[in-house]
Amino acid sequence: MMDNFSYLSIGSNSGDRINNIKHLFKEFENSDVNVISASSIYESEPLNSLSNKNFYNLVIKVETTLDLLNFFSFTKSIELKIGREVKNNPDIPRVIDIDILVFNNDIYNSEFLIVPHSRIHERKFVLLPWAEISDKYILPRYNKSVNYLLNNVKDTSKICKLETTL
């Protein structure tokens, strides 16, 4: 039985972006994580990246038996397994990037992890796909729905829905 739920933001702007995302889903298949729903894939410009290659982004809802810290470790291990390089520069291209947006309705703050994610309200590339699968979800700490945050985001970057499916 899966006790916990989480929404994850997934991004890739290095290598074969679609296959990177497919690889992520394969990693979930034989784990303590069950994918419940997934948005379409959206293409967005990198915010401050050293890469000129656009991101492919989506949001997924998962259930897991793992607690928050073990789940965080699990997502980081998948990033490494798929080929993400660990560097202290957040602007480098990423084979895969997994951000925990929320975990249950918990609020958690540490040096390495903040839940809900601290920049959700600034990121159209997160809010647009998230609204596709759960627009009425009320975010802890913000006490606003995903749809409300999307309609009030200041991010004016261009985001296009891809016609591809996983």
Side-chain angles (χ1 to χ4, degrees), residues 16-137:
D16 185 333
R17 297 167 289 177
I18 292 295
N19 276 335
N20 297 340
I21 294 167
K22 286 180 179 177
H23 190 165
L24 170 77
F25 279 85
K26 286 204 181 304
E27 291 297 322
F28 284 154
E29 285 178 6
N30 297 313
S31 73
D32 293 321
V33 176
N34 184 29
V35 177
I36 302 301
S37 58
S39 73
S40 301
I41 299 173
Y42 291 79
E43 185 173 17
S44 63
E45 298 170 338
L47 293 178
N48 296 314
S49 179
L50 299 174
S51 169
N52 59 1
K53 194 170 188 180
N54 287 347
F55 270 94
Y56 283 1
N57 299 99
L58 69 153
V59 170
I60 62 174
K61 181 179 184 182
V62 298
E63 290 180 335
T64 183
T65 56
L66 300 172
D67 63 35
L68 176 59
L69 296 181
N70 284 319
F71 184 63
F72 177 65
S73 295
F74 173 75
T75 62
K76 294 300 139 200
S77 70
I78 287 178
E79 286 179 341
L80 292 174
K81 189 171 185 179
I82 294 174
R84 179 165 177 176
E85 295 180 45
V86 178
K87 300 214 168 141
N88 288 333
N89 184 347
D91 297 329
I92 64 169
R94 296 180 192 101
V95 169
I96 200 76
D97 183 36
I98 307 169
D99 285 335
I100 298 173
L101 300 174
V102 296
F103 190 86
N104 297 324
N105 289 310
D106 299 348
I107 294 175
Y108 182 85
N109 291 295
S110 76
E111 181 182 350
F112 301 103
L113 178 63
I114 298 173
V115 175
H117 194 285
S118 61
R119 292 180 299 240
I120 291 171
H121 64 289
E122 300 171 357
R123 295 181 167 175
K124 188 175 172 185
F125 67 86
V126 169
L127 294 168
L128 188 61
W130 196 356
E132 182 183 314
I133 61 170
S134 190
D135 65 329
K136 292 179 178 39
Y137 177 75

